[in-house]
Amino acid sequence: MKEVDEIRQAVVDQMQAAIKMLIARYPDIDEAEARRFVVQQFDFINADPNEVFTAERVVERYEATTARGEAGDHQMREKLAKLIYRGLSERPRTQSLQYFELMHAFQTATGISLSQHAQELVAIIDQLQEKGYIRWENMGGKMPLIFQGIDFDEWTRKVNAEKDSAVSVTYNLFGANNRVNNHSVDMSTNVVNENGDVQEYLTALRCAIEGAQLSSTERQSALEIVDEIDAQFSSKEPKKSVVMALLAVLPKVADITTIVGTIALFLK
């Protein structure tokens, strides 16, 4: 019991030290904001077996977050929201999505640790809770739990509406009369032939990723995701849930999104 108390006190000491360091280095941050950030980081770092909670590590995370923007990367927040929605929608309303499950799903989909995007997760959790879509429950040092919120049904309607919109207008990239009209006045739309070869669309997807304005890391990650999608379609029975999860985390760039919507049609 004494050892447990000593461990708890050591954690409290590190949290207090982190708060003081943040206030000392960033005079504009008030104590309440610093404390909130430190507590959130403790939950995330404590849930990651590859991380060790120290005051210095918390300050490093704050500096990294500040460097890429107060709320982090908008595209990454969208990807996290999709993973959270998918995890919650696939289970009964009263069953929680555990944090380690979200970590695993993120690692599988992106190849990177969720702990690297803790601030984006904090931002999207706050946003989803404010809308009533989810309920985030801290477990006092244990891994947090995520539950469907009181307005989760509204989130479901919104997601379904976006899916319907995404597949209602698609472009024929191959075959007779194929064309893509980017920044032009041609308003015509071709109908996708669902019996076409998905490999052609995967090739087009790779080309779109290569031509998109992405960092080398983002481009490599996206191409690896396409390889995983390709492997699924190469199997006799591709898993719809896996393919849709992979498609969902690809960069939200116009040409890429268009092809993603087309590839999704092959899963019907």
Side-chain angles (χ1 to χ4, degrees):
M1 187 66 179
K2 182 180 179 181
E3 292 181 356
V4 173
D5 291 339
E6 290 176 349
I7 292 173
R8 287 178 177 171
Q9 186 58 50
V11 170
V12 171
D13 291 344
Q14 287 294 323
M15 294 178 77
Q16 292 293 344
I19 294 171
K20 291 179 180 179
M21 289 174 67
L22 285 175
I23 295 174
R25 294 191 188 184
Y26 299 92
D28 292 338
I29 186 175
D30 60 33
E31 183 174 351
E33 182 183 352
R35 184 178 301 278
R36 179 173 180 269
F37 182 84
V38 171
V39 171
Q40 288 172 336
Q41 294 306 309
F42 171 74
D43 288 336
F44 297 135
I45 294 175
N46 189 49
D48 190 336
N50 298 316
E51 289 273 7
V52 177
F53 181 80
T54 64
E56 291 77 12
R57 184 69 182 112
V58 172
V59 174
E60 286 177 6
R61 282 170 169 262
Y62 186 83
E63 291 172 345
T65 297
T66 303
R68 66 176 184 263
E70 182 179 352
D73 181 63
H74 177 72
Q75 186 179 96
M76 182 57 67
R77 296 202 305 274
E78 288 185 344
K79 292 176 181 179
L80 287 167
K82 288 185 177 181
L83 285 176
I84 292 170
Y85 174 79
R86 187 167 293 109
L88 289 174
S89 64
E90 293 175 349
R91 63 194 67 210
R93 190 177 186 89
T94 57
Q95 184 179 342
S96 66
L97 171 65
Q98 299 187 53
Y99 183 68
F100 80 87
E101 294 178 296
L102 181 60
M103 288 176 60
H104 177 72
F106 185 83
Q107 178 79 36
T108 301
T110 66
I112 58 179
S113 172
L114 181 55
S115 64
Q116 296 181 32
H117 292 279
Q119 190 61 12
E120 284 89 344
L121 180 59
V122 170
I124 196 61
I125 289 296
D126 287 347
Q127 181 181 333
L128 295 175
Q129 283 200 111
E130 184 178 347
K131 292 181 177 180
Y133 291 169
I134 68 167
R135 179 170 64 84
W136 173 276
E137 183 174 323
N138 288 314
M139 300 300 291
K142 299 180 181 179
M143 290 192 179
L145 302 176
I146 307 173
F147 293 89
Q148 293 184 20
I150 192 163
D151 291 322
F152 185 81
D153 291 344
E154 181 181 332
W155 192 11
T156 298
R157 286 192 292 272
K158 180 180 178 183
V159 169
N160 290 337
E162 290 174 351
K163 286 181 179 179
D164 292 341
S165 175
V167 300
S168 62
V169 179
T170 54
Y171 298 98
N172 182 8
L173 302 178
F174 306 96
N177 300 319
N178 58 320
R179 59 191 180 278
V180 175
N181 305 309
N182 284 327
H183 309 295
S184 69
V185 296
D186 185 348
M187 301 299 291
S188 60
T189 304
N190 287 334
V191 177
V192 172
N193 177 6
E194 295 186 30
N195 295 321
D197 187 353
V198 70
Q199 290 299 325
E200 293 181 345
Y201 294 95
L202 291 173
T203 299
L205 183 56
R206 290 187 175 96
C207 291
I209 291 170
E210 291 286 1
Q213 293 184 349
L214 303 171
S215 68
S216 57
T217 301
E218 289 174 327
R219 181 175 293 104
Q220 182 61 35
S221 176
L223 290 172
E224 290 175 358
I225 292 172
V226 176
D227 288 340
E228 293 183 39
I229 295 171
D230 195 345
Q232 283 290 322
F233 279 109
S234 297
S235 65
K236 293 182 179 180
E237 297 181 359
K239 294 183 179 179
K240 181 176 180 179
S241 60
V242 174
V243 175
M244 292 301 292
L246 293 169
L247 289 173
V249 295
L250 286 170
K252 299 298 182 293
V253 179
D255 290 347
I256 295 175
T257 302
T258 297
I259 303 170
V260 163
T262 303
I263 293 174
L265 294 175
F266 285 87
L267 298 170
K268 288 184 176 180

